[in-house]
Amino acid sequence: MRTQHRNIFRWLLGITMAAASMAAHADNYPSRAITLVVPFAPGGPTDTIARNVAQHVSGTLGQPVLVDNRPGGGGQIAGSLVKQAKADGYTLFVGATEMFAINQTLFRQFSYNPLKDFVPVSAMVDTPMILVVAKDSKVTSVQELIALARSKPEGLTYASQGLGSIGHMLGQAMASRTGAKLIHVPYKGSAPALQDLVTGRVDMMFDVMMSSGPMIEGGKLKALAVASPRPFANLPGVPTMAKSGVEGVDGSVWFGVVAPVGTPGEAVTALNAAIVKAITSADLTKRFADQGMRPLPQSASQFGAMMKSEVDRWTPLVKASGAQVD
């Protein structure tokens, strides 16, 4: 009997000590450097956003926030690293719409489930896709573009940032909604696709303001419409796709942060507050606005709900496109 009581006492003491240790850990978070794992090479939009936010979060939390670039595999290299990391709030995954809502359907085999293997921490920013054509194109509106595509037996070509990218999915949606014949031409990123659009090798493209904006401002491209439910302040006078007569072709690229499943709620709360403070700061808000982005201040649970809705929205579009990557 005494042995049984002694074992129960030890068990209760162990639980008490573990709880105290967890509480102390939460109170001290963060006590060392935090790493943001980015699935792209340095210099791209995701990397730039991550580094801007990291600097602010570091100042708020009083610890270094480092960026670790792990490109490749549609986010699988970075995602797998974070998925296998200790769930303590010190290793986070920064990604975009593709990593969190598209690629798990696009790839035949994918190494993580964004909704099951991670906990949402915070959204950061989003930016709408713009339908653009070359400055020499004869079309000046979405309806003229549709009419031209219908008039040609071979249809029109549209460039994208790659197979399964949002640019690909929006072109697919536009073809489905309008009956226009649109032939997909995938590229490895926006830069080569825009080059061929400018020179007339392809007819149209959905792209983000960050990369196409300078070409629109420089007169090399014409913006026909914004693939967003509302007009875009950076492009006054450019209508939405819906206003142009094409419903259901909306798609913004959004960026967010997740952590390994099991990360303590206290750490998630602290990180969310620091990231929201960063993205709503005056200097970052202006910097983002100049690049065609807007902050998305959300709670962790709101971001989780957004991720779920985006997975539900993009999954049938990816399947309908027939696109798959081995």
Side-chain angles (χ1 to χ4, degrees), residues 67-315:
V67 173
D68 182 7
N69 299 92
R70 299 295 182 104
Q76 293 184 86
I77 294 174
S80 295
L81 187 154
V82 177
K83 173 185 172 181
Q84 295 165 16
K86 188 175 180 181
D88 55 8
Y90 290 96
T91 306
L92 310 174
F93 183 23
V94 178
T97 314
E98 290 89 347
M99 280 89 250
F100 296 141
I102 292 177
N103 288 355
Q104 72 272 19
T105 306
L106 175 68
F107 283 73
R108 292 182 192 275
Q109 291 185 320
F110 205 61
S111 63
Y112 66 82
N113 183 312
L115 299 181
K116 294 181 180 179
D117 294 325
F118 302 108
V119 293
V121 174
S122 180
M124 293 193 294
V125 296
D126 75 350
T127 182
M129 301 290 281
I130 315 297
L131 176 57
V132 290
V133 296
K135 68 170 183 178
D136 297 329
S137 172
K138 36 179 138 170
V139 302
T140 60
S141 69
V142 172
Q143 289 303 320
E144 287 181 10
L145 185 69
I146 294 169
L148 181 62
R150 287 172 173 166
S151 71
K152 293 188 171 188
E154 70 277 17
L156 296 178
T157 55
Y158 75 96
S160 83
Q161 302 78 4
L163 192 67
S165 65
I166 293 181
H168 177 194
M169 294 299 105
L170 288 178
Q172 174 79 18
M174 182 173 174
S176 175
R177 295 276 179 170
T178 64
K181 187 174 183 180
L182 301 176
I183 310 302
H184 178 224
V185 183
Y187 288 79
K188 292 182 178 180
S190 288
L194 288 169
Q195 246 351 95
D196 276 5
L197 179 61
V198 167
T199 56
R201 291 189 179 93
V202 287
D203 298 307
M204 56 176 275
M205 181 179 179
F206 286 95
D207 192 44
V208 294
M209 187 69 179
M210 187 181 292
S211 49
S212 61
M215 291 188 175
I216 296 172
E217 293 169 5
K220 294 182 178 180
L221 295 176
K222 289 189 289 189
L224 299 186
V226 181
S228 170
R230 59 185 181 280
F232 188 36
N234 296 57
L235 293 173
V238 177
T240 63
M241 289 293 292
K243 284 286 186 182
S244 301
V246 182
E247 297 278 354
V249 183
D250 298 328
S252 293
V253 178
W254 50 265
F255 304 83
V257 183
V258 298
V261 68
T263 298
E266 295 84 355
V268 170
T269 299
L271 288 164
N272 176 269
I275 292 170
V276 169
K277 181 180 177 183
I279 62 176
T280 56
S281 64
D283 61 326
L284 280 195
T285 298
K286 183 181 185 309
R287 192 177 305 176
F288 290 147
D290 289 343
Q291 296 176 331
M293 296 181 287
R294 59 163 193 160
L296 285 176
Q298 298 177 342
S299 68
S301 61
Q302 287 172 330
F303 178 44
M306 187 185 93
M307 285 178 60
K308 173 68 166 58
S309 69
E310 286 287 277
V311 169
D312 292 344
R313 183 163 76 98
W314 288 110
T315 295

Side-chain angles (χ1 to χ4, degrees), residues 7 29 36 38 55 63 68 72 89 101 159 256 277 317:
N7 289 339
Y29 180 85
L36 303 180
V38 174
Q55 185 177 5
Q63 293 291 342
D68 182 7
K277 181 180 177 183
L317 281 172

